[in-house]
């Protein structure tokens, strides 16, 4: 008599974009699997969150995905959401530096220019001359081994291009991606395409960007009409996973030689979920805790990844408010109001300009507040943050009208810092977890904080678990479900 085939049980810990993409990929790979997604909060989506503001759907977390990595747009197409894909109707960003707001240079990679002509309007003549001289320096030499110590973005770029370029362009752009400080972020971790090219940084940037294009520029970003919740909802639906919200995973242990048991819920009344395989798609602090007993080396490596907090202040202004003809404005390091007080916001996105709006609708914009080490800024209450952001907006644009509605969204510990130890820590995590059958990890902590990179990590995790389940076909199976106290 042949053995009864029992559906494999896969538990995904974390209901953000990484966890949901992993659950969906697992469903594609193993239509027979019992997939459970356990999320500690009361909602899915993680740092993707859509709210209604003055009658419009607005994203109060990640609002777009970069198209250079096609993972997100391919997933959108695969899910049948291509008709909802939108691109900016305007691509004219600005930066406020040395008290002036000027166009953001177009041919740059995270603030590094393809040549001095790109930055003449942003930098002083002496700083522009230093940028021009970078191509005459010896090629950049940075150790490519992920386990080797990284070098500071701020230090290397200041040495080769000058500090002014760091403060006026690189720091504002990296601050938008990581909410971090250039001096504390790793070059290999954040600018990997430029490392190991045996070129100057100017030459490497030119190689990455390619030759200048003739005619209209291709879009750089994509988003979804109706907000990122559209992607979240579709992934949850298509995964057909058993979604369990409001249940923190308190512990992860091995059962027998191959199985797993997860303790979920409250400490006073815990439940236990058994699984054949587990995908951890949670921030670094949570992953560190869950791996303490089953993978202490990986746990310690997660502990080396610091996190930053930030806030997004979303404002809806009266329909007759007139914003500048730009997608937004970044603020250089050290910029101040005319009275000498520092700006609170690190960037504004003029959403109505960037994505378009219907005549008569309120004018939408959002401000990003907070970087690594700026805890005091985020300790202000909502009213204070909104007042400070409105003051910044007035100084930068002259727009001084009360919002018809507002939303303040705080992301505590929401952004991993890709510091000098990051690539080494990630190498340890990936190598260690790969040796543990039935366990995989995904998420923004690993090899990219953007939506496409996070999707890539989810795909890799699901593929690893799929291969593991295939290798153990016929051996896996036991009664599944939530066990009582």
């Amino acid at each position: 008599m042949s053995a009864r085939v029992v559906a494999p049980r896969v538990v995904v810990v974390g209901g953000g974009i990484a966890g949901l993409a992993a659950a969906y990929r697992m469903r594609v790979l193993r239509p027979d699997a019992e997939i459970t997604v356990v999320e500690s909060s009361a909602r899915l989506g993680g740092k993707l969150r859509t709210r209604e503001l003055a009658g419009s759907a607005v994203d109060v977390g990640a609002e777009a995905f970069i198209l250079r990595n096609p993972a997100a747009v391919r997933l959108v197409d695969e899910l049948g959401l291509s008709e909802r894909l939108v691109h900016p109707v305007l691509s004219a960003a600005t930066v406020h530096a040395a008290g002036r707001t000027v166009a953001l240079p177009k041919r740059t990679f995270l603030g590094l220019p393809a040549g001095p002509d790109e930055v003449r309007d942003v930098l002083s003549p002496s700083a522009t001359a230093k940028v021009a001289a970078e191509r005459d320096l010896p090629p950049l030499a940075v150790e490519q081994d992920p386990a080797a110590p990284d070098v500071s973005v701020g230090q290397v770029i200041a040495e080769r291009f000058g500090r002014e370029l760091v403060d006026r362009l690189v720091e504002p752009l990296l601050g938008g991606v990581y909410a971090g400080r250039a001096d504390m972020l790793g070059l290999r971790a954040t600018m990997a395409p430029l490392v190991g090219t045996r070129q100057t940084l100017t030459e490497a940037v030119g190689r990455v960007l390619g030759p200048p294009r003739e005619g209209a520029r291709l879009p750089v970003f994509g988003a979804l009409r109706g907000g990122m919740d559209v992607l979240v909802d579709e992934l949850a639906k298509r995964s057909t996973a058993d979604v369990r919200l409001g249940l923190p995973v308190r512990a992860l242990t091995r059962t027998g030689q191959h199985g797993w048991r997860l303790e979920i819920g409250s400490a006073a009344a815990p439940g236990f979920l058994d699984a054949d395989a587990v995908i951890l798609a949670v921030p670094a602090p949570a992953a560190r805790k869950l791996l303490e007993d089953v993978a202490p080396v990986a746990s310690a490596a997660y502990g080396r990844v610091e996190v930053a907090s930030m806030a997004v202040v979303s404002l809806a202004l009266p329909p007759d408010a007139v914003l500048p003809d730009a997608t937004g404005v970044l603020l250089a390091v050290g910029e101040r109001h005319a009275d000498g007080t520092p700006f609170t916001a690190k960037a504004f996105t003029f959403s109505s300009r960037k994505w378009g709006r219907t005549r008569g609708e309120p004018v939408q914009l959002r401000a990003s507040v907070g970087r690594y080490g700026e805890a005091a800024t985020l300790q202000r209450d909502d009213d204070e943050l909104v007042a400070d952001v409105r003051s910044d907006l007035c100084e930068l644009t002259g727009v001084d009208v009360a919002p018809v509605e507002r939303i303040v969204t705080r992301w505590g510990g929401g952004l991993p810092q890709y510091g000098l130890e990051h690539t080494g820590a990630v190498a340890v995590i990936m190598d260690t977890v790969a040796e543990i059958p039935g366990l995989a990890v995904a998420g923004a902590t690993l090899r990219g904080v953007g939506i496409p990179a996070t999707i890539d990590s989810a795909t890799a995790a699901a593929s690893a678990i799929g291969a593991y389940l295939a290798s153990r076909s016929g051996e896996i199976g036991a009664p599944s479900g939530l066990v009582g106290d």
Side-chain angles (χ1 to χ4, degrees):
M1 180 184 295
S2 61
R4 180 172 65 93
V5 177
V6 180
R9 300 152 303 171
V10 180
V11 174
V12 179
V13 183
I17 180 62
L20 291 174
Y24 166 69
R25 289 287 175 220
M26 280 306 314
R27 175 59 64 217
V28 173
L29 290 169
R30 291 298 299 256
D32 62 323
E34 295 179 5
I35 303 172
T36 302
V37 174
V38 185
E39 165 58 39
S40 62
S41 73
R43 55 173 291 277
L44 292 173
K47 291 185 284 294
L48 305 190
R49 184 182 302 180
T50 306
R51 299 278 302 274
E52 183 176 302
L53 180 66
S56 297
V58 299
D59 285 304
V60 297
E63 66 155 359
F65 43 80
I66 197 162
L67 301 180
R68 183 182 295 118
N69 178 340
V73 74
R74 285 175 180 168
L75 181 60
V76 166
D77 183 59
E78 186 178 336
L79 296 172
L81 299 175
S82 295
E83 290 186 357
R84 288 181 174 267
L85 183 64
V86 295
H87 304 293
V89 298
L90 189 66
S91 59
T94 61
V95 60
H96 187 77
R100 301 183 305 122
T101 299
V102 298
L104 190 69
K106 294 187 182 301
R107 284 183 51 76
T108 63
F109 178 80
L110 290 174
L112 295 182
D117 290 343
E118 304 293 336
V119 295
R120 293 189 190 280
D121 290 341
V122 182
L123 304 185
S124 66
S126 60
T128 303
K130 189 164 180 67
V131 169
E134 198 274 339
R135 66 172 62 251
D136 297 323
L137 296 178
L140 177 69
V142 175
E143 175 61 61
Q144 296 184 68
D145 181 359
D150 206 344
V151 293
S152 160
V153 169
Q155 179 181 341
V156 169
I157 295 175
E159 290 173 352
R160 297 185 70 96
F161 288 101
R163 190 72 208 182
E164 199 171 292
L165 181 73
V166 176
D167 291 345
R168 296 190 184 183
L169 283 176
V170 176
E171 179 97 28
L173 285 159
L174 285 179
V177 177
Y178 299 97
R181 296 289 185 183
D183 289 335
M184 301 177 70
L185 296 172
L187 184 72
R188 190 172 59 236
T190 60
M191 298 184 176
L194 306 182
V195 176
T197 61
R198 301 184 184 276
Q199 296 176 303
T200 66
L201 278 175
T202 302
E203 292 167 335
V205 169
R207 180 185 57 81
V208 170
L209 297 178
R213 290 184 58 87
E214 297 292 337
R217 299 177 67 201
L218 295 175
V220 176
F221 298 104
L224 293 174
R225 187 180 300 107
M228 289 297 175
D229 272 4
V230 171
L231 178 60
V232 170
D233 293 344
E234 191 65 20
L235 284 171
K237 173 185 170 184
R238 296 282 288 272
S239 74
T240 66
D242 175 16
V243 175
R244 306 190 183 192
L245 299 175
L247 293 172
V249 178
R250 304 182 62 82
L252 175 67
T253 57
R254 296 303 297 258
T255 56
Q257 186 176 358
H258 299 291
W260 298 91
R261 172 164 285 193
L262 299 91
E263 179 184 334
I264 68 175
S266 68
F272 298 91
L273 190 62
D274 291 327
D276 298 303
V278 174
I279 297 175
L280 297 183
V282 292
R288 179 197 60 76
K289 180 177 183 297
L290 291 176
L291 293 173
E292 279 179 336
D293 294 329
V294 298
V297 173
S299 172
Y302 268 113
R304 290 157 58 188
V305 180
E306 298 188 67
V307 294
S309 300
M310 63 164 297
V312 174
V313 178
S314 305
L315 303 178
L317 305 182
D320 58 354
V322 180
L323 293 174
D325 192 21
T327 58
V329 56
L330 300 170
L331 283 103
V333 173
E335 291 302 300
R336 293 178 175 272
H337 288 246
D339 63 4
T341 58
F343 284 93
T344 295
K346 62 183 182 181
F348 283 89
T349 300
F350 303 147
S351 306
S352 291
R353 291 287 196 190
K354 185 173 183 178
W355 303 107
R357 72 182 180 105
T358 302
R359 185 183 299 274
E361 288 182 341
V363 174
Q364 304 278 0
L365 70 147
R366 55 184 249 166
S368 298
V369 177
R371 285 187 178 90
Y372 181 80
E374 290 186 357
T377 299
L378 298 178
Q379 288 170 356
R380 305 173 195 175
D381 64 26
D382 287 1
D383 288 341
E384 288 180 288
L385 275 184
V386 170
D388 291 341
V389 163
R390 286 188 57 200
S391 176
D392 291 348
L393 181 68
C394 181
E395 181 84 9
L396 292 167
T397 69
V399 175
D400 185 18
V401 293
V404 297
E405 196 172 331
R406 85 215 189 158
I407 298 173
V408 177
T409 309
R410 298 171 186 268
W411 297 102
L415 289 168
Q417 297 300 285
Y418 280 36
L420 302 189
E421 295 188 29
H422 186 264
T423 58
V426 171
V428 170
I429 291 166
M430 301 306 292
D431 290 346
T432 304
V433 171
E435 297 298 318
I436 302 175
L439 180 66
V441 293
T445 298
L446 303 176
R447 290 170 175 157
V449 299
I451 293 173
T454 305
I455 291 169
D456 282 337
S457 76
T459 299
S463 296
I465 295 302
Y468 166 72
L469 295 177
S471 72
R472 296 195 53 77
S473 179
E475 300 178 30
I476 290 174
S480 62
L482 192 62
V483 182
D485 297 355

